[in-house]
Amino acid sequence: MKEEIAQLKILQTIDLEINEMDSRLAAVTSGLDQRRAVIAQRQAEAEQLRERLAALEQRQREMETGLEEDLARIRDRQAKMMNIQTNREYQSLLKESEDAKKSSKEREEELLRLTGEIEEVSQKIEECDNLRAGEEKLLADDSKEADSKLAELSGAKEKILKKRATKSKNIPASILKKYEMLRERRKGLALVGVVDGVCRGCFMNIPPQLFNDLLKEEKLLICPTCNRIMHHQTADEN
């Protein structure tokens, strides 16, 4: 069993290298994904602002049309007031004229407010577009660098995988199957050292008799707490 444990230690080291390689690959792609998410967010913000701008401009056109109608009504009523025959007609036209003046003033105030808001929203759209363009440029630059890095890491990982396939052949199928099962269930760490009776996987003490059996290296032993395969490790071993 001593030889099998030695081979498992080699395999575990290789698998930890593969895990590290996967983490580095994920980090590269994650950075690009984060930048894409920012770009999508800027795009969504700009679209919402454009919808808001379109609504404001539509409202502005409606106010301008209404203002023109009010001014035309004022001119019409003032012209008619020059030819009225009775005081009753005069008062009626005067009221219509005053109502139109009041309406036109409200529309002018609303137009002034709309103009300010349109300018503000337009500026925000420009800012969003500029920020998005900047992020897109950074993404393009990062993508070139990432492609190179991914190719380098993928090539290195492929070599490690070939090495793993070779080393796996030196381990009996039943032991390898158990190791693979534990590696999947224990977040990539199936084989752990035991230093001075303490499992380095869960940092719990193992029973003294089990530790004595571990020193003999006569059979495959499992930690009673974390269920990982154990091997004896001295304090000065990494």
Side-chain angles (χ1 to χ4, degrees), residues 198-236:
V198 178
C199 171
R200 304 302 290 180
C202 59
F203 296 94
M204 298 294 290
N205 288 303
I206 66 173
Q209 184 56 51
L210 184 59
F211 182 63
N212 290 333
D213 292 340
L214 187 66
L215 294 175
K216 296 176 184 178
E217 295 184 325
E218 294 177 348
K219 55 184 177 180
L220 203 66
L221 296 174
I222 303 296
C223 173
T225 302
C226 67
N227 295 319
R228 293 182 173 93
I229 301 171
M230 300 185 297
H231 70 89
H232 178 244
Q233 179 178 332
T234 61
D236 58 349

Side-chain angles (χ1 to χ4, degrees), residues 120-139:
E120 181 181 351
V121 172
S122 297
Q123 183 177 356
K124 288 181 179 179
I125 291 173
E126 184 178 359
E127 290 174 357
C128 277
D129 287 343
N130 289 339
L131 287 171
R132 189 188 73 250
E135 290 290 343
E136 288 173 343
K137 184 179 185 306
L138 289 173
L139 176 62

Side-chain angles (χ1 to χ4, degrees), residues 81 83-93:
M81 287 169 65
N83 301 311
I84 58 173
Q85 300 296 322
T86 67
N87 184 60
R88 182 178 179 181
E89 290 176 333
Y90 178 85
Q91 292 299 327
S92 176
L93 290 171

